[in-house]
Amino acid sequence: MDEVAEVEVVVAHAERATLRVGDVFLKVDADRARTDAEVEAMSLAPVPTPEILWRKPPVLAIAAVPGATLGRLGGAAAGSPAGWAAAGAAIRKLHDAPPPPRTGRAGRSSAALAAQLDAECALLVAEGVLPADLVARNRRVAEAALRPWTPAFTHGDLQIAHVFLDGDEVTGIIDWSEAGRGDALYDLATFTLGHEEHLDDLLAGYGASDVDLDVIQAWWSARSLLAVRWLIEHGFDPFAPGCEVDALRSRM
């Protein structure tokens, strides 16, 4: 990394920032535990992950992953059905691996999740962020996620922008700071949020004929409800076309 044309700010808010310098990503995180979780998860995950170049808290340097993503939330999805199936197969391989010792974002108990949803829904309405009927409808849909589940090795923030493919081959999965033991369907819902039309292709590769679609829809609602205020507070726009608020409206 002798000469670099520019430094690209990939994402930045009060909790963390990611910079791209040439072919190196520098992740700066105020919470060392998140970086610890990311490094541990990448060492255990049975799927392609970025190469760790060096670590000097609070900075983690990782190499860029080859290939391209299938899209991003709020943008048009790309890739063939085979590409989506390949992503599904990689996610299934992750979920079938022995879960790590720590609990990830997808591992909240049903009681904790219900309490968080109720509190967040009350604030969304009280602060006038979203209409009461939209919130109430999605809170009912989210109820299906509140059920027993078998702990799996989950990524915890498996957005479509975090999985890279070269053609129909997964070349890397990035951003593991929320990984740990959790509900596998949370990952599937996160990956297809805003791109519901590709769920069948993803599940074709995932290979589970007994996946409960009601639970995936419930996680679409739950994740969106819990994200809206946080996104606004950190400078993002959940009202942008195809993003979280549109996901909530699609449940009406």
Side-chain angles (χ1 to χ4, degrees), residues 184-245:
L185 298 194
Y186 180 89
D187 275 352
L188 297 179
T190 301
F191 194 76
T192 52
L193 181 66
H195 299 290
E196 302 176 15
E197 70 277 11
H198 292 287
L199 179 59
D200 287 346
D201 293 330
L202 186 79
L203 294 181
Y206 190 76
S209 58
D210 59 345
V211 169
D212 191 329
L213 300 183
D214 287 341
V215 174
I216 290 181
Q217 291 185 25
W219 275 124
W220 286 333
S221 289
R223 181 180 169 90
S224 298
L225 287 169
L226 294 174
V228 168
R229 286 194 322 115
W230 185 94
L231 290 167
I232 294 171
E233 291 169 0
H234 289 80
F236 302 101
D237 184 9
F239 289 88
C243 291
E244 284 79 5
V245 174

Side-chain angles (χ1 to χ4, degrees), residues 46-140:
V47 294
T49 61
E51 176 189 1
I52 297 176
L53 301 175
W54 51 265
R55 182 185 182 191
K56 186 174 181 180
V59 183
L60 174 67
I62 62 175
V65 173
T69 69
L70 293 171
R72 61 178 178 81
L73 183 63
S80 65
W84 283 83
I91 297 169
R92 181 58 183 266
K93 187 174 183 181
L94 174 68
H95 290 167
D96 284 347
R102 71 177 72 219
T103 299
R105 180 190 283 188
R108 287 165 289 191
S109 70
S110 292
L113 177 61
Q116 188 178 6
L117 279 168
D118 289 343
E120 192 63 27
C121 287
L123 287 170
L124 287 168
V125 175
E127 296 176 4
V129 179
L130 293 174
D133 60 339
L134 181 65
V135 172
R137 169 58 181 162
N138 278 276
R139 177 61 183 87
R140 290 194 296 271

Side-chain angles (χ1 to χ4, degrees), residues 8-13 16-19 26-28 175 230 236:
E8 175 190 356
V9 179
V10 179
V11 63
H13 50 77
R16 65 186 93 170
T18 300
L19 310 176
L26 302 176
K27 305 188 70 175
V28 185
D175 286 358
W230 185 94
F236 302 101

Side-chain angles (χ1 to χ4, degrees), residues 149-206:
W149 41 266
T150 301
F153 192 149
T154 54
H155 181 280
D157 191 22
L158 198 63
Q159 301 177 45
I160 188 175
H162 290 166
V163 179
F164 287 74
L165 294 90
D166 184 359
D168 297 332
E169 178 183 356
V170 174
T171 56
I173 301 177
I174 66 171
D175 286 358
W176 292 83
S177 60
E178 306 291 350
R181 303 169 69 90
D183 179 2
L185 298 194
Y186 180 89
D187 275 352
L188 297 179
T190 301
F191 194 76
T192 52
L193 181 66
H195 299 290
E196 302 176 15
E197 70 277 11
H198 292 287
L199 179 59
D200 287 346
D201 293 330
L202 186 79
L203 294 181
Y206 190 76

